[in-house]
Amino acid sequence: MAVSNNGLQFLHELQQKLKGVQEELDKGPRLIKVKENALAKRQVELDEIKALHTAQRKLADQKGLQLKTNEAKLADLNAKLNMASTNREFDILKGQIAADKMANSVLEDEILDCMDQVDKLKSKVADAEKIVADAKDDVRKMTEQVAAAEAGLKERATRLLPAVAEAESIIPAEHMATYRRLVIAHGADALSSVENSVCTSCYVSLSPQQCVELRGGKFIFCISCGKLIYAPQA
Ligand SMILES: [Zn+2]
Protein backbone atom coordinates (compact mmCIF):
# COMPACT_ATOMS: atom_id res chain seq x y z
CA MET A 1 0.00 0.00 0.00
CA ALA A 2 1.48 3.29 -1.12
CA VAL A 3 2.04 6.08 1.39
CA SER A 4 -0.24 8.41 -0.58
CA ASN A 5 -3.22 6.06 -0.18
CA ASN A 6 -2.76 5.84 3.59
CA GLY A 7 -2.29 9.59 3.82
CA LEU A 8 -5.34 10.37 1.71
CA GLN A 9 -7.45 7.88 3.64
CA PHE A 10 -6.34 9.54 6.89
CA LEU A 11 -7.08 13.00 5.45
CA HIS A 12 -10.53 11.85 4.31
CA GLU A 13 -11.30 10.42 7.75
CA LEU A 14 -10.25 13.68 9.44
CA GLN A 15 -12.41 15.68 7.02
CA GLN A 16 -15.40 13.43 7.73
CA LYS A 17 -14.86 13.86 11.48
CA LEU A 18 -14.62 17.64 11.13
CA LYS A 19 -17.77 17.61 8.99
CA GLY A 20 -19.57 15.59 11.69
CA VAL A 21 -18.49 18.04 14.38
CA GLN A 22 -19.59 21.02 12.29
CA GLU A 23 -22.96 19.40 11.57
CA GLU A 24 -23.47 18.85 15.30
CA LEU A 25 -22.57 22.48 15.95
CA ASP A 26 -25.05 23.65 13.29
CA LYS A 27 -27.76 21.37 14.67
CA GLY A 28 -27.73 23.00 18.13
CA PRO A 29 -29.42 26.31 17.25
CA ARG A 30 -31.95 24.44 15.08
CA LEU A 31 -32.90 22.16 17.99
CA ILE A 32 -33.41 25.23 20.21
CA LYS A 33 -35.49 26.91 17.48
CA VAL A 34 -37.81 23.88 17.29
CA LYS A 35 -38.47 24.16 21.05
CA GLU A 36 -38.90 27.95 20.79
CA ASN A 37 -41.45 27.53 17.99
CA ALA A 38 -43.37 24.99 20.08
CA LEU A 39 -43.36 27.44 23.01
CA ALA A 40 -44.61 30.31 20.80
CA LYS A 41 -47.48 28.09 19.60
CA ARG A 42 -48.42 27.13 23.18
CA GLN A 43 -48.26 30.79 24.21
CA VAL A 44 -50.71 31.74 21.44
CA GLU A 45 -53.05 28.97 22.60
CA LEU A 46 -52.83 30.25 26.19
CA ASP A 47 -53.53 33.84 25.10
CA GLU A 48 -56.58 32.67 23.15
CA ILE A 49 -58.01 30.76 26.13
CA LYS A 50 -57.28 33.71 28.43
CA ALA A 51 -59.14 36.03 26.03
CA LEU A 52 -62.13 33.66 25.97
CA HIS A 53 -62.10 33.50 29.78
CA THR A 54 -62.00 37.30 30.10
CA ALA A 55 -64.80 37.72 27.55
CA GLN A 56 -66.97 35.16 29.32
CA ARG A 57 -66.39 36.84 32.69
CA LYS A 58 -67.35 40.22 31.22
CA LEU A 59 -70.51 38.68 29.79
CA ALA A 60 -71.39 37.22 33.22
CA ASP A 61 -70.80 40.65 34.82
CA GLN A 62 -73.00 42.36 32.21
CA LYS A 63 -75.79 39.86 32.71
CA GLY A 64 -75.46 40.30 36.51
CA LEU A 65 -75.82 44.07 36.12
CA GLN A 66 -78.78 43.59 33.81
CA LEU A 67 -80.44 41.38 36.43
CA LYS A 68 -79.94 44.04 39.13
CA THR A 69 -81.46 46.70 36.87
CA ASN A 70 -84.38 44.38 36.09
CA GLU A 71 -84.91 43.64 39.79
CA ALA A 72 -84.96 47.36 40.59
CA LYS A 73 -87.51 47.82 37.82
CA LEU A 74 -89.57 44.97 39.22
CA ALA A 75 -89.52 46.51 42.73
CA ASP A 76 -90.69 49.74 41.14
CA LEU A 77 -93.55 47.93 39.36
CA ASN A 78 -94.54 46.22 42.61
CA ALA A 79 -94.67 49.61 44.37
CA LYS A 80 -96.86 50.95 41.54
CA LEU A 81 -99.07 47.88 41.81
CA ASN A 82 -99.74 48.66 45.48
CA MET A 83 -100.81 52.14 44.49
CA ALA A 84 -102.86 51.16 41.45
CA SER A 85 -106.04 53.20 41.39
CA THR A 86 -107.96 51.27 38.72
CA ASN A 87 -108.50 47.61 37.91
CA ARG A 88 -107.17 48.20 34.40
CA GLU A 89 -103.97 49.76 35.75
CA PHE A 90 -103.68 46.88 38.22
CA ASP A 91 -104.05 44.25 35.44
CA ILE A 92 -101.52 45.96 33.18
CA LEU A 93 -98.95 46.17 36.00
CA LYS A 94 -99.63 42.57 37.02
CA GLY A 95 -99.02 41.44 33.43
CA GLN A 96 -95.79 43.44 33.22
CA ILE A 97 -94.56 42.03 36.53
CA ALA A 98 -95.25 38.44 35.39
CA ALA A 99 -93.42 39.03 32.08
CA ASP A 100 -90.46 40.67 33.84
CA LYS A 101 -90.24 37.86 36.39
CA MET A 102 -90.15 35.36 33.54
CA ALA A 103 -87.42 37.36 31.77
CA ASN A 104 -85.39 37.54 35.00
CA SER A 105 -85.71 33.80 35.52
CA VAL A 106 -84.33 33.22 32.00
CA LEU A 107 -81.55 35.72 32.73
CA GLU A 108 -80.70 33.93 35.99
CA ASP A 109 -80.32 30.63 34.10
CA GLU A 110 -78.13 32.36 31.55
CA ILE A 111 -75.95 33.78 34.34
CA LEU A 112 -75.55 30.32 35.88
CA ASP A 113 -74.54 28.89 32.46
CA CYS A 114 -72.16 31.79 32.01
CA MET A 115 -70.53 31.26 35.42
CA ASP A 116 -70.21 27.57 34.64
CA GLN A 117 -68.39 28.46 31.40
CA VAL A 118 -66.16 30.91 33.32
CA ASP A 119 -65.17 28.10 35.71
CA LYS A 120 -64.46 25.68 32.87
CA LEU A 121 -62.37 28.26 31.02
CA LYS A 122 -60.50 29.13 34.21
CA SER A 123 -59.47 25.50 34.53
CA LYS A 124 -58.46 25.45 30.85
CA VAL A 125 -56.34 28.58 31.42
CA ALA A 126 -54.59 26.78 34.31
CA ASP A 127 -53.93 23.74 32.06
CA ALA A 128 -52.60 25.95 29.25
CA GLU A 129 -50.37 27.83 31.72
CA LYS A 130 -48.89 24.52 32.84
CA ILE A 131 -48.25 23.54 29.20
CA VAL A 132 -46.54 26.89 28.54
CA ALA A 133 -44.41 26.47 31.67
CA ASP A 134 -43.38 22.99 30.46
CA ALA A 135 -42.56 24.35 26.98
CA LYS A 136 -40.43 27.09 28.59
CA ASP A 137 -38.66 24.41 30.56
CA ASP A 138 -38.02 22.47 27.33
CA VAL A 139 -36.42 25.56 25.75
CA ARG A 140 -34.25 26.11 28.82
CA LYS A 141 -33.18 22.45 28.97
CA MET A 142 -32.38 22.34 25.24
CA THR A 143 -30.43 25.60 25.44
CA GLU A 144 -28.38 24.20 28.32
CA GLN A 145 -27.89 20.89 26.54
CA VAL A 146 -26.71 22.61 23.34
CA ALA A 147 -24.39 24.95 25.27
CA ALA A 148 -22.91 22.00 27.17
CA ALA A 149 -22.27 20.05 23.95
CA GLU A 150 -20.99 23.14 22.11
CA ALA A 151 -17.93 23.57 24.28
CA GLY A 152 -16.75 20.02 23.59
CA LEU A 153 -17.60 20.22 19.88
CA LYS A 154 -15.74 23.52 19.43
CA GLU A 155 -12.74 22.04 21.18
CA ARG A 156 -12.83 19.03 18.82
CA ALA A 157 -13.09 21.33 15.80
CA THR A 158 -10.13 23.36 17.09
CA ARG A 159 -8.09 20.17 17.32
CA LEU A 160 -9.25 18.79 13.96
CA LEU A 161 -8.62 21.92 11.85
CA PRO A 162 -4.79 21.90 12.21
CA ALA A 163 -4.80 18.09 11.92
CA VAL A 164 -6.59 18.38 8.55
CA ALA A 165 -4.12 21.06 7.42
CA GLU A 166 -1.23 18.81 8.42
CA ALA A 167 -2.72 15.78 6.64
CA GLU A 168 -3.16 17.93 3.52
CA SER A 169 0.63 18.35 3.31
CA ILE A 170 0.70 14.96 1.56
CA ILE A 171 -0.92 16.50 -1.52
CA PRO A 172 1.71 17.50 -4.10
CA ALA A 173 1.96 21.21 -4.88
CA GLU A 174 0.87 20.73 -8.51
CA HIS A 175 -2.43 19.18 -7.38
CA MET A 176 -3.11 21.59 -4.52
CA ALA A 177 -5.17 24.10 -6.55
CA THR A 178 -7.41 21.32 -7.90
CA TYR A 179 -7.76 19.86 -4.42
CA ARG A 180 -8.73 23.28 -2.98
CA ARG A 181 -11.40 23.72 -5.65
CA LEU A 182 -12.77 20.27 -4.78
CA VAL A 183 -12.90 21.16 -1.07
CA ILE A 184 -14.74 24.40 -1.85
CA ALA A 185 -17.21 22.49 -4.01
CA HIS A 186 -17.67 19.31 -1.97
CA GLY A 187 -16.29 19.97 1.50
CA ALA A 188 -15.47 16.73 3.29
CA ASP A 189 -16.44 14.78 0.16
CA ALA A 190 -13.60 16.19 -1.95
CA LEU A 191 -11.93 12.81 -1.63
CA SER A 192 -13.41 9.51 -2.69
CA SER A 193 -12.28 5.99 -1.95
CA VAL A 194 -12.03 3.35 -4.64
CA GLU A 195 -13.43 -0.06 -3.87
CA ASN A 196 -13.32 -3.01 -6.27
CA SER A 197 -11.91 -0.62 -8.91
CA VAL A 198 -15.02 1.58 -8.60
CA CYS A 199 -15.09 5.20 -7.41
CA THR A 200 -17.45 5.17 -4.40
CA SER A 201 -18.56 8.71 -5.15
CA CYS A 202 -19.83 8.26 -8.73
CA TYR A 203 -19.70 4.45 -9.17
CA VAL A 204 -17.67 4.68 -12.38
CA SER A 205 -15.00 2.00 -12.87
CA LEU A 206 -11.33 2.88 -13.14
CA SER A 207 -9.31 1.51 -16.03
CA PRO A 208 -6.88 -1.34 -15.14
CA GLN A 209 -4.06 1.13 -15.86
CA GLN A 210 -5.48 3.65 -13.34
CA CYS A 211 -5.88 0.89 -10.73
CA VAL A 212 -2.21 0.03 -11.09
CA GLU A 213 -1.22 3.71 -10.88
CA LEU A 214 -3.46 4.26 -7.85
CA ARG A 215 -1.97 1.31 -6.01
CA GLY A 216 1.47 2.59 -6.97
CA GLY A 217 0.80 5.86 -5.14
CA LYS A 218 -0.01 8.20 -8.03
CA PHE A 219 -2.36 11.10 -7.28
CA ILE A 220 -5.39 10.57 -9.51
CA PHE A 221 -8.62 12.49 -9.93
CA CYS A 222 -11.67 10.44 -10.91
CA ILE A 223 -12.32 10.78 -14.65
CA SER A 224 -16.06 10.97 -13.99
CA CYS A 225 -16.69 13.00 -10.79
CA GLY A 226 -13.26 14.66 -10.63
CA LYS A 227 -12.68 13.82 -6.96
CA LEU A 228 -9.27 12.96 -5.58
CA ILE A 229 -9.38 9.17 -5.32
CA TYR A 230 -7.49 6.76 -3.10
CA ALA A 231 -7.44 3.04 -2.38
CA PRO A 232 -8.33 2.53 1.28
CA GLN A 233 -6.69 -0.05 3.49
CA ALA A 234 -8.72 -3.19 3.80
ZN1 LIG B 1 -15.84 9.36 -9.19
Side-chain angles (χ1 to χ4, degrees), residues 96-114:
Q96 262 182 16
I97 287 167
D100 284 4
K101 273 186 175 168
M102 180 58 81
N104 279 359
S105 161
V106 170
L107 194 53
E108 274 165 3
D109 285 348
E110 281 176 10
I111 289 169
L112 282 177
D113 279 352
C114 229

PDB file of all heavy atoms in Angstrom, residues 96-114:
ATOM      1  N   GLN A  96     -97.184  43.016  33.410  1.00  0.00           N
ATOM      2  CA  GLN A  96     -95.787  43.437  33.216  1.00  0.00           C
ATOM      3  C   GLN A  96     -94.869  42.739  34.210  1.00  0.00           C
ATOM      4  O   GLN A  96     -93.778  42.275  33.860  1.00  0.00           O
ATOM      5  CB  GLN A  96     -95.675  44.953  33.423  1.00  0.00           C
ATOM      6  CG  GLN A  96     -95.687  45.720  32.111  1.00  0.00           C
ATOM      7  CD  GLN A  96     -95.525  47.223  32.335  1.00  0.00           C
ATOM      8  OE1 GLN A  96     -95.116  47.656  33.414  1.00  0.00           O
ATOM      9  NE2 GLN A  96     -95.868  47.979  31.326  1.00  0.00           N
ATOM     10  N   ILE A  97     -95.356  42.664  35.472  1.00  0.00           N
ATOM     11  CA  ILE A  97     -94.558  42.028  36.532  1.00  0.00           C
ATOM     12  C   ILE A  97     -94.326  40.544  36.207  1.00  0.00           C
ATOM     13  O   ILE A  97     -93.198  40.052  36.304  1.00  0.00           O
ATOM     14  CB  ILE A  97     -95.242  42.194  37.909  1.00  0.00           C
ATOM     15  CG1 ILE A  97     -95.090  43.647  38.378  1.00  0.00           C
ATOM     16  CG2 ILE A  97     -94.649  41.245  38.942  1.00  0.00           C
ATOM     17  CD1 ILE A  97     -95.978  44.031  39.551  1.00  0.00           C
ATOM     18  N   ALA A  98     -95.384  39.870  35.740  1.00  0.00           N
ATOM     19  CA  ALA A  98     -95.254  38.443  35.389  1.00  0.00           C
ATOM     20  C   ALA A  98     -94.239  38.251  34.259  1.00  0.00           C
ATOM     21  O   ALA A  98     -93.385  37.355  34.308  1.00  0.00           O
ATOM     22  CB  ALA A  98     -96.607  37.880  34.990  1.00  0.00           C
ATOM     23  N   ALA A  99     -94.345  39.121  33.233  1.00  0.00           N
ATOM     24  CA  ALA A  99     -93.424  39.029  32.083  1.00  0.00           C
ATOM     25  C   ALA A  99     -91.991  39.298  32.522  1.00  0.00           C
ATOM     26  O   ALA A  99     -91.059  38.576  32.125  1.00  0.00           O
ATOM     27  CB  ALA A  99     -93.840  40.022  31.002  1.00  0.00           C
ATOM     28  N   ASP A 100     -91.812  40.326  33.385  1.00  0.00           N
ATOM     29  CA  ASP A 100     -90.461  40.673  33.844  1.00  0.00           C
ATOM     30  C   ASP A 100     -89.872  39.578  34.724  1.00  0.00           C
ATOM     31  O   ASP A 100     -88.673  39.295  34.650  1.00  0.00           O
ATOM     32  CB  ASP A 100     -90.475  42.000  34.614  1.00  0.00           C
ATOM     33  CG  ASP A 100     -90.584  43.198  33.676  1.00  0.00           C
ATOM     34  OD1 ASP A 100     -90.721  42.949  32.451  1.00  0.00           O
ATOM     35  OD2 ASP A 100     -90.525  44.343  34.155  1.00  0.00           O
ATOM     36  N   LYS A 101     -90.732  38.955  35.540  1.00  0.00           N
ATOM     37  CA  LYS A 101     -90.245  37.856  36.393  1.00  0.00           C
ATOM     38  C   LYS A 101     -89.753  36.696  35.536  1.00  0.00           C
ATOM     39  O   LYS A 101     -88.718  36.085  35.821  1.00  0.00           O
ATOM     40  CB  LYS A 101     -91.363  37.369  37.323  1.00  0.00           C
ATOM     41  CG  LYS A 101     -91.431  38.157  38.617  1.00  0.00           C
ATOM     42  CD  LYS A 101     -92.440  37.542  39.566  1.00  0.00           C
ATOM     43  CE  LYS A 101     -92.421  38.259  40.910  1.00  0.00           C
ATOM     44  NZ  LYS A 101     -93.577  37.873  41.740  1.00  0.00           N
ATOM     45  N   MET A 102     -90.526  36.427  34.469  1.00  0.00           N
ATOM     46  CA  MET A 102     -90.150  35.358  33.540  1.00  0.00           C
ATOM     47  C   MET A 102     -88.805  35.677  32.881  1.00  0.00           C
ATOM     48  O   MET A 102     -87.912  34.833  32.811  1.00  0.00           O
ATOM     49  CB  MET A 102     -91.251  35.174  32.483  1.00  0.00           C
ATOM     50  CG  MET A 102     -90.975  34.091  31.457  1.00  0.00           C
ATOM     51  SD  MET A 102     -90.711  32.474  32.219  1.00  0.00           S
ATOM     52  CE  MET A 102     -92.414  31.975  32.484  1.00  0.00           C
ATOM     53  N   ALA A 103     -88.660  36.925  32.432  1.00  0.00           N
ATOM     54  CA  ALA A 103     -87.418  37.365  31.774  1.00  0.00           C
ATOM     55  C   ALA A 103     -86.235  37.239  32.735  1.00  0.00           C
ATOM     56  O   ALA A 103     -85.154  36.775  32.354  1.00  0.00           O
ATOM     57  CB  ALA A 103     -87.548  38.799  31.293  1.00  0.00           C
ATOM     58  N   ASN A 104     -86.468  37.626  34.003  1.00  0.00           N
ATOM     59  CA  ASN A 104     -85.394  37.536  35.001  1.00  0.00           C
ATOM     60  C   ASN A 104     -84.999  36.085  35.276  1.00  0.00           C
ATOM     61  O   ASN A 104     -83.822  35.788  35.474  1.00  0.00           O
ATOM     62  CB  ASN A 104     -85.817  38.201  36.307  1.00  0.00           C
ATOM     63  CG  ASN A 104     -85.641  39.709  36.242  1.00  0.00           C
ATOM     64  OD1 ASN A 104     -85.195  40.216  35.223  1.00  0.00           O
ATOM     65  ND2 ASN A 104     -85.994  40.403  37.307  1.00  0.00           N
ATOM     66  N   SER A 105     -85.993  35.214  35.283  1.00  0.00           N
ATOM     67  CA  SER A 105     -85.710  33.796  35.516  1.00  0.00           C
ATOM     68  C   SER A 105     -84.826  33.239  34.399  1.00  0.00           C
ATOM     69  O   SER A 105     -83.875  32.490  34.647  1.00  0.00           O
ATOM     70  CB  SER A 105     -87.027  33.056  35.621  1.00  0.00           C
ATOM     71  OG  SER A 105     -86.840  31.694  35.410  1.00  0.00           O
ATOM     72  N   VAL A 106     -85.163  33.631  33.155  1.00  0.00           N
ATOM     73  CA  VAL A 106     -84.328  33.219  31.999  1.00  0.00           C
ATOM     74  C   VAL A 106     -82.915  33.783  32.160  1.00  0.00           C
ATOM     75  O   VAL A 106     -81.921  33.077  31.972  1.00  0.00           O
ATOM     76  CB  VAL A 106     -84.965  33.697  30.664  1.00  0.00           C
ATOM     77  CG1 VAL A 106     -84.010  33.498  29.498  1.00  0.00           C
ATOM     78  CG2 VAL A 106     -86.283  32.974  30.414  1.00  0.00           C
ATOM     79  N   LEU A 107     -82.847  35.051  32.557  1.00  0.00           N
ATOM     80  CA  LEU A 107     -81.555  35.718  32.734  1.00  0.00           C
ATOM     81  C   LEU A 107     -80.724  35.034  33.824  1.00  0.00           C
ATOM     82  O   LEU A 107     -79.517  34.846  33.685  1.00  0.00           O
ATOM     83  CB  LEU A 107     -81.789  37.190  33.084  1.00  0.00           C
ATOM     84  CG  LEU A 107     -80.590  38.133  32.982  1.00  0.00           C
ATOM     85  CD1 LEU A 107     -79.918  38.061  31.617  1.00  0.00           C
ATOM     86  CD2 LEU A 107     -81.015  39.574  33.280  1.00  0.00           C
ATOM     87  N   GLU A 108     -81.400  34.627  34.902  1.00  0.00           N
ATOM     88  CA  GLU A 108     -80.695  33.928  35.993  1.00  0.00           C
ATOM     89  C   GLU A 108     -80.078  32.604  35.506  1.00  0.00           C
ATOM     90  O   GLU A 108     -78.954  32.276  35.858  1.00  0.00           O
ATOM     91  CB  GLU A 108     -81.666  33.647  37.152  1.00  0.00           C
ATOM     92  CG  GLU A 108     -81.777  34.816  38.115  1.00  0.00           C
ATOM     93  CD  GLU A 108     -82.987  34.696  39.055  1.00  0.00           C
ATOM     94  OE1 GLU A 108     -83.696  33.674  38.994  1.00  0.00           O
ATOM     95  OE2 GLU A 108     -83.199  35.647  39.812  1.00  0.00           O
ATOM     96  N   ASP A 109     -80.853  31.883  34.676  1.00  0.00           N
ATOM     97  CA  ASP A 109     -80.318  30.635  34.102  1.00  0.00           C
ATOM     98  C   ASP A 109     -79.107  30.928  33.227  1.00  0.00           C
ATOM     99  O   ASP A 109     -78.107  30.203  33.265  1.00  0.00           O
ATOM    100  CB  ASP A 109     -81.400  29.930  33.257  1.00  0.00           C
ATOM    101  CG  ASP A 109     -82.450  29.261  34.147  1.00  0.00           C
ATOM    102  OD1 ASP A 109     -82.184  29.162  35.368  1.00  0.00           O
ATOM    103  OD2 ASP A 109     -83.510  28.874  33.624  1.00  0.00           O
ATOM    104  N   GLU A 110     -79.243  31.979  32.436  1.00  0.00           N
ATOM    105  CA  GLU A 110     -78.130  32.361  31.551  1.00  0.00           C
ATOM    106  C   GLU A 110     -76.886  32.699  32.371  1.00  0.00           C
ATOM    107  O   GLU A 110     -75.775  32.331  32.000  1.00  0.00           O
ATOM    108  CB  GLU A 110     -78.521  33.578  30.698  1.00  0.00           C
ATOM    109  CG  GLU A 110     -79.404  33.214  29.518  1.00  0.00           C
ATOM    110  CD  GLU A 110     -79.857  34.444  28.740  1.00  0.00           C
ATOM    111  OE1 GLU A 110     -79.326  35.539  29.008  1.00  0.00           O
ATOM    112  OE2 GLU A 110     -80.733  34.296  27.895  1.00  0.00           O
ATOM    113  N   ILE A 111     -77.093  33.412  33.484  1.00  0.00           N
ATOM    114  CA  ILE A 111     -75.953  33.783  34.342  1.00  0.00           C
ATOM    115  C   ILE A 111     -75.281  32.536  34.918  1.00  0.00           C
ATOM    116  O   ILE A 111     -74.060  32.426  34.930  1.00  0.00           O
ATOM    117  CB  ILE A 111     -76.399  34.757  35.460  1.00  0.00           C
ATOM    118  CG1 ILE A 111     -76.724  36.120  34.850  1.00  0.00           C
ATOM    119  CG2 ILE A 111     -75.313  34.917  36.521  1.00  0.00           C
ATOM    120  CD1 ILE A 111     -77.431  37.083  35.793  1.00  0.00           C
ATOM    121  N   LEU A 112     -76.114  31.576  35.329  1.00  0.00           N
ATOM    122  CA  LEU A 112     -75.553  30.321  35.877  1.00  0.00           C
ATOM    123  C   LEU A 112     -74.720  29.594  34.817  1.00  0.00           C
ATOM    124  O   LEU A 112     -73.614  29.123  35.092  1.00  0.00           O
ATOM    125  CB  LEU A 112     -76.674  29.412  36.380  1.00  0.00           C
ATOM    126  CG  LEU A 112     -77.264  29.806  37.737  1.00  0.00           C
ATOM    127  CD1 LEU A 112     -78.427  28.877  38.093  1.00  0.00           C
ATOM    128  CD2 LEU A 112     -76.195  29.754  38.833  1.00  0.00           C
ATOM    129  N   ASP A 113     -75.273  29.517  33.579  1.00  0.00           N
ATOM    130  CA  ASP A 113     -74.535  28.894  32.464  1.00  0.00           C
ATOM    131  C   ASP A 113     -73.209  29.619  32.242  1.00  0.00           C
ATOM    132  O   ASP A 113     -72.165  28.997  32.034  1.00  0.00           O
ATOM    133  CB  ASP A 113     -75.361  28.968  31.166  1.00  0.00           C
ATOM    134  CG  ASP A 113     -76.406  27.859  31.120  1.00  0.00           C
ATOM    135  OD1 ASP A 113     -76.346  26.980  32.011  1.00  0.00           O
ATOM    136  OD2 ASP A 113     -77.264  27.889  30.207  1.00  0.00           O
ATOM    137  N   CYS A 114     -73.308  30.933  32.248  1.00  0.00           N
ATOM    138  CA  CYS A 114     -72.155  31.788  32.006  1.00  0.00           C
ATOM    139  C   CYS A 114     -71.061  31.542  33.057  1.00  0.00           C
ATOM    140  O   CYS A 114     -69.893  31.382  32.737  1.00  0.00           O
ATOM    141  CB  CYS A 114     -72.608  33.235  32.093  1.00  0.00           C
ATOM    142  SG  CYS A 114     -72.060  34.215  30.725  1.00  0.00           S
TER     143      CYS A 114
END
